[in-house]
Amino acid sequence: MNAQLDNRRKIKEMEVMVADVINETPDATTLVLFTGNDRLDYKAGHFLTIDPHQFEALERFTAFLEDLKGKKEPPRAYSLTSTPHEKYLAITIKEERYITGVTKYPPLLSPLLVKRTASGMKMVVTGFTGPYTLPDNIGSDTKHIVHICAGSGIVPNYSIIKFALMNHPEIKHTLLYSSKSYHDIIFRDTLLDLSLKSNGKLNVIFTLTREENSAIYGKNFRKGRITTDLLKEIIPDPSCCNLFVCGPAISIHEKREAKIAGIELKNRFFEAVLEGLLDLGVPKDRIQHETYG
C-alpha cells in the first residue's frame, strides 16, 4: 500500500476528555486524554494537533493574531507522551513564553493547555502522524540508540524509550537530556526509575545549564551544556548506533530576519549537537531529528 495513503487513513479527528492533569514542572503539564472506544493507531514518537479555534476563551486573541499576521492561525502540534500499549492517550506541553525583542508574537495555545486545563474538559484533537519514530527494522539495524534532547524535546523520546524497552529488549539506550535546572527536568523521577528497572538497558545523563553544583543531585547529573567531549564519552563507536535528537533549533523566521539584517545567528541546541555529532564521524543517515523554534 502507498505509504502516504496509509498515513492519511490513520489521521482522524476525535473528541477527547481530559482524564487527568499532571504537573511535571512549573511550566510543563501532561494531559491524560480519554478517547472512549476509539481505536488508537499510532507509533511511539508520533504527534497530534490541536486547533486553537475551538476554545472560546481564545476567540478574541486568535482573531487579533490573525488580523496581525494576515493569515489563519494553524493547529499546534504536540508529541505523544503515551505509547500504543498504554491505556490512555497523553501529551505533554511546555508553556511557551513571550520574550520582548526575541519572540515575534505572544504564544496562543500552550498557556491555556498548561495552566488553564482541568479534568473533565473536552476538546477535539487530530492524530496521528510524524516521521520521528523507530524504523520497523530497528532491532536488526542497531543495538544502541542514543537519545539527545533538550527541554520539551524529551517528550517523543520518552515515548520511544518506553516502547522500545518493552518491545525491543535487545537494544540498549543512552539518554542525554539538557535542562536549565533540576526542577525543569520533565519526567525526571520517572526516567531515573526506568533506568533503575531496565537491567542496564537505559543509561540516563542529565546536563544542567544553570546549576552551579549539579553533582549534589547524584551521578546522573552533569553541569553545563552538551559538549563534543560528552558526546564522545557516550558514543564510543559512532558507526554503530542510531541517534534521535530533539530540541530547539533556529527557526525559519529567525533565519529570514537574520538574512535581511545581514547578521550571523548563534547555534541553538540542535545546530550545536549536530555539529558535534558530525565532528565525531556519526553518519548523517543514522541521525533522526525533530526540532522546534
Side-chain angles (χ1 to χ4, degrees):
M1 181 183 289
N2 182 281
Q4 189 173 1
L5 177 62
D6 184 49
N7 197 42
R8 283 201 302 267
R9 286 180 179 176
K10 289 181 181 179
I11 298 174
K12 64 179 180 178
E13 192 175 90
M14 67 190 89
E15 185 178 66
V16 301
M17 184 186 76
V18 178
D20 197 8
V21 178
I22 303 168
N23 297 318
E24 304 288 357
T25 70
D27 62 356
T29 296
T30 293
L31 302 180
V32 180
L33 307 174
F34 177 66
T35 59
N37 294 321
D38 280 332
R39 180 175 177 271
L40 303 180
D41 188 7
Y42 70 95
K43 291 184 176 182
H46 270 164
F47 63 83
L48 55 74
T49 60
I50 302 176
D51 191 333
H53 294 87
Q54 67 184 290
F55 300 102
E56 186 178 353
L58 297 178
E59 186 177 345
R60 283 176 287 183
F61 192 23
T62 302
F64 170 74
L65 287 175
E66 290 180 339
D67 286 346
L68 195 63
K69 298 177 184 180
K71 61 181 181 180
K72 185 177 180 180
E73 283 293 327
R76 274 40 174 187
Y78 298 105
S79 294
L80 293 168
T81 307
S82 55
T83 61
H85 68 271
E86 293 177 329
K87 184 177 181 180
Y88 293 111
L89 198 65
I91 55 174
T92 301
I93 308 108
K94 185 178 175 69
E95 183 183 9
E96 299 164 283
R97 299 293 178 89
Y98 178 76
I99 304 171
T100 303
V102 177
T103 314
K104 189 169 184 180
Y105 301 108
L108 177 59
L109 185 54
S110 67
L112 172 74
L113 295 178
V114 173
K115 296 291 177 65
R116 297 170 61 191
T117 300
S119 296
M121 180 176 171
K122 292 182 179 180
M123 69 179 78
V124 175
V125 304
T126 303
F128 307 94
T129 189
Y132 194 71
T133 60
L134 289 172
D136 292 336
N137 67 338
I138 189 67
S140 59
D141 189 47
T142 186
K143 294 296 182 283
H144 185 200
I145 297 177
V146 177
H147 306 260
I148 306 175
C149 312
S152 60
I154 185 60
V155 179
N157 287 70
Y158 175 57
S159 176
I160 289 169
I161 288 169
K162 288 191 294 179
F163 178 83
L165 287 174
M166 174 170 282
N167 294 279
H168 298 281
E170 73 281 5
I171 297 177
K172 177 185 175 183
H173 299 263
T174 301
L175 169 63
L176 186 56
Y177 179 18
S178 178
S179 301
K180 292 176 183 178
S181 72
Y182 180 82
H183 299 290
D184 288 312
I185 304 172
I186 302 172
F187 312 133
R188 181 192 64 229
D189 295 340
T190 306
L191 286 166
L192 289 171
D193 190 53
L194 268 178
S195 179
L196 284 173
K197 295 176 179 177
S198 70
N199 294 318
K201 294 295 183 180
L202 172 61
N203 180 33
V204 177
I205 300 171
F206 300 111
T207 66
L208 305 178
T209 61
R210 298 185 184 178
E211 293 272 8
E212 285 302 315
N213 187 10
S214 300
I216 63 172
Y217 299 115
K219 63 183 179 62
N220 298 85
F221 297 84
R222 308 285 184 92
K223 178 183 176 181
R225 300 185 183 279
I226 295 173
T227 63
T228 302
D229 285 342
L230 183 52
L231 292 174
K232 189 174 182 179
E233 178 186 330
I234 66 167
I235 307 173
D237 188 347
S239 65
C240 291
C241 62
N242 282 29
L243 290 104
F244 284 75
V245 183
C246 189
I250 300 171
S251 69
I252 294 174
H253 162 70
E254 289 171 322
K255 291 178 182 178
R256 189 183 300 119
E257 293 293 317
K259 187 176 181 180
I260 293 171
I263 60 174
E264 188 173 339
L265 294 170
K266 288 180 63 177
N267 283 345
R268 297 189 74 188
F269 164 82
F270 173 69
E271 290 81 15
V273 168
L274 182 61
E275 190 175 280
L277 293 175
L278 296 179
D279 284 347
L280 287 181
V282 177
K284 269 191 174 182
D285 63 358
R286 284 192 171 271
I287 303 172
Q288 280 187 251
H289 70 271
E290 189 163 88
T291 61
Y292 54 89

